[in-house]
Amino acid sequence: MSKEKLFEMARINKDHAEKGTMTLVDDVVKIPAENYYNPERWKKEVDLIFKRLPLVLSVTGEIPNPGDYKAMEVVGVPVIILRNKKGKISAFLNACRHRGAALVEPGTGNQRRFSCPYHGWTYNDEGTLMGVASAHEFGEIDKSCNGLISLPSLEKEGIIWVTLDPKSNLNIQDYLSGYDKMLSLFGLENWHVFETRSVNGPNWKVAYDGYLDLYHLPVLHKDTFGDSFSNQANYYEWGPHQRAISPYRLPEQNDFNNDGKDHYENSVEEWPLDVLMAGVWTIFPHVSIASFNGGGRSIMLSQLLPGDRPEESVTNQFYLMEKEPNEKQAEEAHKQFDLLKYVVETEDYGTGLRLQKGLKTGLIDHVMFGRNEGGGQVFHKWVDKIINTEDSKLPSLF
Ligand code: FES
């Protein structure tokens, strides 16, 4: 089914490429400029989007082995993801049930037991409270009721989702709206993390708009990606998750067998998977995935999180590779990752940081998303829809 969908998209793109057209939406849409900087609005988005929806907090390749863990802070919430001895993932609040100390510092590691650094209570790799220091003096408590606070989680297709609300009634699988079947085509389960980097950026929506925007490519990135890149995009939706793909006839679509022949005219069923999977795959509300070939088959997964203020965000970039690179490939992968970091940090986020200053003056009433920017329109529609939906009705959106 997912392969069929991929072929269907390729046929639509090919048709547009031949005609020099793209899918256009009905109207130009206006978004209030203050949605990007108003502190109350921003807080609502953090509370009602980031603290209620499943978030991509890791990838299988980051914590692949039994006993591996990852701790991080997500919109102020300390989280720990554990892989137990059977290989199963679970997620918890990284806060001891005695008086709330963090069990481990942010980062990754491998251990089966976690001893709280404050008074020494211990937990196992399933979050169960195993030991209370000086238990006979502390007094009686029921250990079985005092494990770490469990957070809903799902590991699927090489990606790990966690919901920060322990009482969430939103099923993560339902939330994915069938998009996981498309993500499965990347085959990320056995890929490994070559390197991760963090980049500071502007307001999370200013940054995220850029991931869905191919309109800017030949202009803003003319010195890096080149000015011959297409500025057209077709968008495809699975619930709030979207793929943006240029209908432009990419050079690698001509001679994808490297045999000097033009294979573009072949039926799409014969196209290689890499060509079929091109473009940007976004996972609402904060992730984008794009394929590269620096040092071998690779992707960059960008995990965007709001910072401490409306005008700040942090993006964790994961460079994932299908195979362990040799020395030469590792060098190429570094080069590719360096370029991508530069493009995002200097060109995209540099522009975003300056544009939000203009918006924050209050002198611009609204920003616009054109008929060729359907992806941005859909993104903002979902942001509005979600922050205006009460908890009990949230599952009905997906
Ligand atoms: S806060 Fe963890 S043992 Fe006291």
Side-chain angles (χ1 to χ4, degrees), residues 74-136:
V74 188
V75 289
V77 180
V79 177
I80 183 165
I81 304 168
L82 307 176
R83 188 180 294 282
N84 71 10
K85 55 180 173 299
K86 291 185 189 136
K88 193 178 174 313
I89 281 288
S90 45
F92 303 92
L93 196 66
N94 182 16
C96 176
R97 292 299 298 276
H98 175 214
R99 295 236 297 278
L103 293 183
V104 284
E105 294 291 314
T108 55
N110 184 291
Q111 59 192 66
R112 294 268 167 83
R113 289 260 167 167
F114 294 85
S115 176
C116 178
Y118 202 173
H119 310 91
W121 287 23
T122 54
Y123 300 84
N124 69 7
D125 58 6
E126 292 181 340
T128 308
L129 176 60
M130 302 303 286
V132 171
S134 305
H136 56 290

Side-chain angles (χ1 to χ4, degrees), residues 105-292:
E105 294 291 314
T108 55
N110 184 291
Q111 59 192 66
R112 294 268 167 83
R113 289 260 167 167
F114 294 85
S115 176
C116 178
Y118 202 173
H119 310 91
W121 287 23
T122 54
Y123 300 84
N124 69 7
D125 58 6
E126 292 181 340
T128 308
L129 176 60
M130 302 303 286
V132 171
S134 305
H136 56 290
E137 290 162 354
F138 185 81
E140 203 152 317
I141 59 157
D142 182 352
K143 289 212 286 272
S144 68
C145 303
N146 285 288
L148 298 176
I149 304 289
S150 176
L151 304 174
S153 62
L154 176 72
E155 179 174 37
K156 200 135 195 245
E157 317 307 350
I159 296 172
I160 297 170
W161 282 267
V162 176
T163 307
L164 299 182
D165 175 6
K167 298 197 175 79
S168 173
N169 57 357
L170 176 59
N171 180 290
I172 300 178
Q173 182 66 60
D174 292 346
Y175 171 72
L176 296 180
S177 312
Y179 194 51
D180 49 316
K181 291 196 181 69
M182 303 309 302
L183 296 174
S184 74
L185 296 168
F186 280 108
L188 298 178
E189 294 93 332
N190 299 313
W191 288 38
H192 66 98
V193 178
F194 173 69
E195 203 178 329
T196 58
R197 294 175 180 179
S198 290
V199 179
N200 292 325
N203 171 277
W204 76 276
K205 286 186 303 182
V206 170
Y208 203 74
D209 283 344
Y211 289 101
L212 283 163
D213 173 358
L214 307 195
Y215 187 28
H216 75 282
L217 291 183
V219 182
L220 186 61
H221 303 308
K222 62 182 182 311
D223 298 329
T224 43
F225 292 157
D227 60 5
S228 59
F229 225 91
S230 168
N231 70 352
Q232 295 178 315
N234 288 333
Y235 295 95
Y236 300 90
E237 299 164 44
W238 294 261
H241 319 293
Q242 297 189 71
R243 178 197 189 190
I245 169 77
S246 169
Y248 182 67
R249 182 173 166 160
L250 297 164
E252 63 264 31
Q253 286 176 334
N254 299 343
D255 181 14
F256 42 66
N257 285 355
N258 294 320
D259 57 6
K261 292 185 186 149
D262 187 347
H263 296 277
Y264 188 74
E265 296 309 325
N266 294 3
S267 85
V268 298
E269 286 82 357
E270 294 171 48
W271 288 12
L273 191 60
D274 286 350
V275 174
L276 290 164
M277 292 295 283
V280 178
W281 298 77
T282 63
I283 307 175
F284 190 89
H286 71 138
V287 162
S288 90
I289 299 175
S291 299
F292 296 94

